[in-house]
Amino acid sequence: MDISPRYLRAAYRSGALRPSDIAAHVLSRLGDADQSGVWISKAKPENVMAAARALDARVHEIDKLPLYGLIVSVKDCIDVAGEQTSSACPEFAYVAKATSPVVADAIAAGAIYIGKTNMDQFATGLVGVRSPYGIARNPHHPDYIPGGSSSGAAVSVASGTSSFAFGTDTGGSGRVPASYCGVTGFKPAPGAFSQRGMVYACRSFDTISLYTREPGDGYDVYRALARRDPEDCFSPVDFAGWTEQMPPTRPFRIATPRPDQLRFFGNEETERLFGGGLRKLRRLDMSVASTDFSPFTSINDLMFFGPFLAERDVSVGAFLDANPDAGVRIVRDLVVGSRKFTAADAYRALYQVKQVQRSLRDFWQTHDALVVPTVGTVLTIDDVARDPLTANFNNGYYTNYANPLGLAAIAVPNAMTRAGVPYGVTFLAPAGRERLLADLACAFTGAEAQA
């Protein structure tokens, strides 16, 4: 059954369906084989149905409730009052006293909470296999990873048990699973969503992200929820939809990395598929120009090889010290290993980010957006088991720099590999161009459907 936002709103308006019909359908699906490894915890069925029936009686308010009757899942590092938050570490789990403002706003806007989704532990990973709760099954090929860290969120949308899903994104977790699962990952610029009520990975630039099937739906959910949170010290005082820029009336001007800077890690097929995506943009009469990608990638190593990793120690390091047997070993080693960095290292990293942001001012005046592969290659579970660190770092080549540089991004499907695994692209731009990115992504995926 199609439970995507636009389909459901039309069905609710016509009276063909009620929220309680959809809630009952989804509850019946949560034990299916394709839900293996997706859920860490599930809402009580009686609570789900009570919320859905209450919405049945409010159908006359659908125009006031932009997320009316939509099923939403929540990554398990985001709080829902009365529900357990584990961040995929059972020993760390606690019962949340309050709901994340972003999730609370979604429920107030008519969404129906269904459960907490699996993830790379403490949101440390881009592979989706670092969890004691199992591996969320890739809906297209079970031998392949689902991508991480928001693995369960992406699979819940791809497999039809969530209309939209909340993930998080620090170094690419709101985008990489979108590529592996064939859905849209919408990552607003940091600050558009409140950070309160979540387990931080890097609080300086974490953001809640969204998964939907279609890019237009992702943008619609974003517009319903983006706001300044006066109680969040990281919420920008000047946020008002970032004074959102309207898309240009001229053709889009898109930048892409120079061919010598593109990395596909030996996979000729994904290189060919990305080339096909660029040709698709040109068929849409968009200007696509190769540009120097090195300012962006110069930030990448700060995420897992530099002092930004120490923010994870600030978040969960004391817990790991107090619980020496807790934690997936590779996650524990990364977090604790960050203690080798000094305060001077952190300041140098901050200076570097500011310098790159300044150097890109002219770039963003010339180009409306940057398009990159979401990932360079596609990895199997066995690939990651053989070399877990390299696999993870490679998955972040096109993603790690975005949040430190304050960029918004939308990841969408592009093509399918011969193995039947989706392979996507990502469009990026500064804060305030979220509408532009959504329109660009809609045009791109629309052209794909017509090809």
Side-chain angles (χ1 to χ4, degrees):
M1 179 182 288
D2 186 350
I3 67 167
S4 63
R6 295 192 185 190
Y7 173 80
L8 284 187
R9 286 187 69 82
Y12 292 150
R13 287 183 186 280
S14 71
L17 290 171
R18 299 170 301 169
S20 60
D21 299 325
I22 300 304
H25 165 73
V26 170
L27 288 171
S28 74
R29 288 265 289 107
L30 297 185
D32 289 355
D34 65 352
Q35 300 303 295
S36 175
V38 174
W39 305 95
I40 289 180
S41 62
K42 302 167 187 174
K44 294 179 179 178
E46 57 269 29
N47 292 346
V48 174
M49 291 308 300
R53 292 189 185 105
L55 286 166
D56 289 350
R58 299 178 65 189
V59 67
H60 60 285
E61 298 180 70
I62 190 169
D63 289 332
K64 299 179 182 178
L65 299 171
L67 307 182
Y68 177 87
L70 303 183
I71 305 295
V72 62
S73 64
V74 178
K75 184 178 180 179
D76 199 29
C77 58
I78 305 171
D79 288 346
V80 176
E83 302 287 335
Q84 178 178 281
T85 299
S86 76
S87 208
C89 182
E91 299 88 346
F92 179 81
Y94 60 90
V95 175
K97 295 180 180 179
T99 299
S100 152
V102 185
V103 178
D105 286 353
I107 293 171
I112 303 169
Y113 164 72
I114 198 71
K116 293 294 210 64
T117 53
N118 202 359
M119 56 185 284
D120 279 327
Q121 190 174 82
F122 296 128
T124 301
L126 291 171
V127 285
V129 303
R130 299 175 174 177
S131 171
Y133 295 97
I135 299 172
R137 180 177 175 176
N138 184 300
H140 299 274
H141 197 308
D143 291 345
Y144 283 77
I145 65 171
S149 64
S150 307
S151 53
V155 176
S156 75
V157 170
S159 61
T161 51
S162 299
S163 306
F164 71 98
F166 286 117
T168 64
D169 191 304
T170 302
S173 297
R175 291 161 279 160
V176 169
S179 184
Y180 279 94
C181 296
V183 296
T184 293
F186 189 99
K187 186 203 77 64
F193 287 154
S194 175
Q195 285 187 327
R196 289 191 299 125
M198 59 186 289
V199 180
Y200 303 116
C202 297
R203 190 180 179 188
S204 294
F205 46 77
D206 275 346
T207 181
I208 288 177
S209 63
L210 300 167
Y211 286 100
T212 56
R213 281 194 173 272
E214 303 297 332
D217 287 333
Y219 178 76
D220 288 345
V221 175
Y222 160 77
R223 289 303 301 167
L225 300 177
R227 67 173 176 88
R228 178 174 180 257
D229 177 5
E231 296 184 51
D232 177 10
C233 63
F234 282 88
S235 189
V237 174
D238 60 351
F239 178 77
W242 303 113
T243 314
E244 192 167 45
Q245 300 177 28
M246 294 301 292
T249 54
R250 55 168 170 73
F252 286 113
R253 297 190 300 236
I254 312 299
T256 197
R258 293 194 322 245
D260 63 299
Q261 295 172 322
L262 288 167
R263 296 183 64 188
F264 299 95
F265 310 104
N267 190 331
E268 294 180 358
E269 182 184 22
T270 54
E271 182 175 8
R272 176 179 57 79
L273 294 177
F274 181 65
L278 297 182
R279 288 191 295 274
K280 188 188 306 180
L281 288 170
R282 292 187 175 104
R283 288 198 302 271
L284 292 168
D285 294 326
M286 297 182 189
S287 168
V288 182
S290 295
T291 191
D292 183 12
F293 192 46
S294 63
F296 299 93
T297 56
S298 70
I299 301 300
N300 280 352
D301 284 353
L302 299 176
M303 188 68 65
F304 289 107
F305 294 100
F308 288 164
L309 188 60
E311 284 206 79
R312 300 173 193 267
D313 188 37
V314 173
S315 181
V316 299
F319 164 80
L320 292 174
D321 288 342
N323 297 271
D325 296 325
V328 173
R329 176 53 56 185
I330 194 169
V331 172
R332 168 183 280 276
D333 289 348
L334 282 167
V335 173
V336 175
S338 71
R339 294 171 185 174
K340 65 185 178 184
F341 296 108
T342 67
D345 292 329
Y347 279 112
R348 290 188 191 101
L350 293 174
Y351 301 159
Q352 182 179 348
V353 169
K354 289 296 185 183
Q355 179 63 26
V356 171
Q357 286 177 322
R358 187 208 62 78
S359 74
L360 290 172
R361 289 175 188 167
D362 289 343
F363 175 91
W364 292 119
Q365 290 295 316
T366 303
H367 305 289
D368 297 312
L370 171 71
V371 62
V372 296
T374 304
V375 292
T377 186
V378 290
L379 300 167
T380 66
I381 295 171
D382 288 344
D383 290 334
V384 176
R386 281 191 295 270
D387 191 353
L389 287 174
T390 300
N392 189 82
F393 300 147
N394 289 352
N395 263 355
Y397 179 72
Y398 296 106
T399 64
N400 285 166
Y401 54 82
N403 278 336
L405 294 178
L407 303 179
I410 187 165
V412 294
N414 172 33
M416 298 289 282
T417 67
R418 288 187 296 270
V421 178
Y423 185 72
V425 302
T426 296
F427 299 99
L428 302 104
R433 297 188 189 179
E434 283 84 356
R435 168 68 184 278
L436 181 152
L437 289 175
D439 283 2
L440 177 54
C442 287
F444 181 81
T445 55
E448 178 185 40
Q450 296 165 14

